[in-house]
Amino acid sequence: MIEPEESGKEQQEQEMDLIRRFILFGILFRVVMVDMDSTHQVVLKLTYDSIFQELSRWAERQHHAIRRLLRQRGCYVVRSQKQGHAYVVQYRQRGYLREAIYSIEILRAECQELIRLWVSGYQQGEKAQ
């Protein structure tokens, strides 16, 4: 039998993972559009705007779905911002104000992995979920 403390700790870990994913998808959908604008500064033989737009829309949909899930669990992101080499997130979880600090480099690598998953989903003929 699982003790209530363990299930509460597990729930908190799940919520922290959701917050991390919420932040990742939020960063991804904004960065993809910035990168698309950067490609407009260089003359290319083909346009990749539709790829950038679809990737950004996918990330934005994931971001909003996770936000809804967090709200259902009573968890709200209050503030998030880049501070030096870290990304600081303040969130309210069951009445408590908490803070999470993420490495920018790790977030960048995780965003890169999300892009890889999205691309592999299209290679298999279906959108990545």
Side-chain angles (χ1 to χ4, degrees), residues 21-31 59-60 63 87:
R21 290 178 43 215
F22 173 79
I23 296 303
L24 282 172
F25 281 112
I27 290 170
L28 182 60
F29 87 77
R30 289 187 301 271
V31 168
E60 188 174 16
H63 178 75
Y87 199 77

Side-chain angles (χ1 to χ4, degrees), residues 38-84:
S38 297
T39 63
H40 292 160
Q41 297 173 9
V42 178
V43 178
L44 302 172
K45 301 291 183 194
L46 299 171
T47 179
Y48 299 93
D49 287 357
S50 62
I51 294 169
F52 283 116
Q53 290 170 355
E54 185 60 32
L55 174 58
S56 181
R57 279 192 295 266
W58 172 75
E60 188 174 16
R61 283 190 305 269
Q62 297 298 318
H63 178 75
H64 290 299
I66 293 169
R67 177 186 298 161
R68 281 190 302 275
L69 185 56
L70 284 167
R71 286 183 177 170
Q72 289 171 358
R73 293 173 168 234
C75 194
Y76 302 88
V77 173
V78 176
R79 192 172 93 188
S80 58
Q81 66 182 20
K82 182 179 175 184
Q83 291 181 357

